[in-house]
Amino acid sequence: MSTYKTMYKCRDCGATSYQSVIGRAQNGALLATGQYRCTGCRNVFSSIREWWQPKRMPETYSHSTFG
């Protein structure tokens, strides 16, 4: 059996799949909201890129001298 590695996985939990978030419209119809839910940690993301793209590290500043 082959194992595959993918870069497309949840940045928070590592799950390799997501689902479209479905909401109910005013008329009662079920419609996609444009958001995505991770199947592992169940976090909701506004785009697929946000789901897999690593979080940016906060910028830090270092000073070479003190005082």
Side-chain angles (χ1 to χ4, degrees):
M1 181 176 191
S2 298
T3 58
Y4 298 96
K5 290 188 178 186
T6 179
M7 66 178 266
Y8 299 106
K9 59 185 177 183
C10 179
R11 66 182 186 189
D12 293 334
C13 74
T16 57
S17 60
Y18 55 86
Q19 298 172 328
S20 292
V21 176
I22 304 297
R24 191 168 298 276
Q26 295 233 349
N27 65 0
L30 295 175
L31 301 172
T33 64
Q35 295 179 316
Y36 302 90
R37 177 176 286 124
C38 176
T39 58
C41 61
R42 309 299 287 169
N43 289 338
V44 175
F45 300 95
S46 60
S47 70
I48 296 169
R49 180 178 294 272
E50 184 185 350
W51 172 75
W52 67 263
Q53 192 170 43
K55 292 181 181 179
R56 294 184 71 188
M57 298 300 289
E59 290 189 31
T60 58
Y61 300 97
S62 62
H63 299 281
S64 58
T65 59
F66 294 100

